Amino acid sequence: MATIVQRNDQVLRRKARDVPVPDIRSARIRSIIANMKKALASQPDGVALAAPQIGESLRIFIVSERVEELSIKVEERREQQKHISPDAHRYLVFINPVLTRMSRQKQFMEEGCLSVRWLYGKVKRSVKATIRARDERGKLFERGASGLMAQAFQHETDHLDGVLFIDKAVDVQEILPEK
Ligand code: ZN
């Protein structure tokens, strides 16, 4: 299984390349996306992952649909989770994504990263964002989001440009996982 690279790895600092559209359905790209899903599924606290985080300098990221669950009421979420096994989560795939609109309204949001264990900080992000990308079949689509999903769009797009959240964050602190 693909391992998630950590912050000293130079692949995280490279500007990733677009995936040529005719290659999107190739075995190689499909296998990279499958590995990204497996790597993200292995991290209970992870909601999104960019291809450079598994060592592939390509403009692809995935976001767990769990991100949207996080914005519904806690009680409803608990109720839902009784019926959903962890690996039943689905992932939205964004290939060659471009942020087409970002709200002027910004706010500091808590952020961490699977490639920057175990630091957390606050990053100023647009409250709303719209992204245009291709899906796994190569079809162009556009999706608007607010809250955590909008934050994920911005964090993951930064990864594709070689930027890590710690480059922008304030109040960075280390919070080790509970044993
Ligand atoms: Zn990250």
Side-chain angles (χ1 to χ4, degrees):
M1 200 194 75
T3 47
I4 297 176
V5 301
Q6 291 300 304
R7 64 177 148 148
N8 293 327
D9 198 309
Q10 279 311 302
V11 72
L12 293 173
R13 293 308 192 174
R14 246 178 262 152
K15 191 172 162 72
R17 284 167 291 114
D18 269 330
V19 180
V21 176
D23 293 355
I24 289 176
R25 299 173 73 158
S26 67
R28 177 167 175 267
I29 297 299
R30 284 210 305 246
S31 130
I32 288 169
I33 293 169
N35 285 335
M36 289 171 69
K37 291 177 181 176
K38 277 186 222 152
L40 183 54
S42 75
Q43 306 295 310
D45 61 332
V47 291
L49 188 79
Q53 293 182 273
I54 62 158
E56 297 287 350
S57 194
L58 291 167
R59 302 189 82 81
I60 306 171
F61 70 73
I62 61 172
V63 181
S64 165
E65 287 190 346
R66 272 195 287 180
V67 159
E68 295 198 320
E69 284 171 39
L70 293 173
S71 54
I72 65 173
K73 287 195 199 113
V74 172
E75 273 161 38
E76 285 172 38
R77 203 193 309 159
R78 285 210 191 106
E79 194 52 39
Q80 276 189 358
Q81 281 174 345
K82 281 185 202 158
H83 310 288
I84 303 173
S85 72
D87 47 29
H89 289 296
R90 294 174 154 273
Y91 301 99
L92 305 168
V93 178
F94 300 83
I95 301 167
N96 302 343
V98 177
L99 284 164
T100 53
R101 277 164 59 178
M102 291 204 278
S103 65
R104 219 172 304 163
Q105 191 197 345
K106 292 184 175 187
Q107 102 189 25
F108 278 103
M109 301 180 87
E110 295 281 350
E111 217 157 300
C113 178
L114 299 175
S115 293
V116 190
R117 295 303 203 184
W118 294 90
L119 300 182
Y120 297 88
K122 294 194 182 86
V123 182
K124 207 170 200 182
R125 299 290 191 190
S126 290
V127 175
K128 292 180 183 170
T130 303
I131 206 154
R132 187 190 300 142
R134 290 186 185 269
D135 66 15
E136 286 170 278
R137 291 171 305 148
K139 193 168 169 269
L140 209 52
F141 68 98
E142 200 164 56
R143 186 167 180 135
S146 57
L148 286 167
M149 181 73 90
Q151 180 184 13
F153 287 174
Q154 295 165 77
H155 178 112
E156 300 310 314
T157 303
D158 277 350
H159 269 303
L160 306 183
D161 292 329
V163 173
L164 296 177
F165 87 95
I166 39 170
D167 303 346
K168 305 178 164 185
V170 296
D171 297 342
V172 177
Q173 52 177 319
E174 188 174 35
I175 305 172
L176 294 170
E178 287 172 35
K179 289 273 154 66

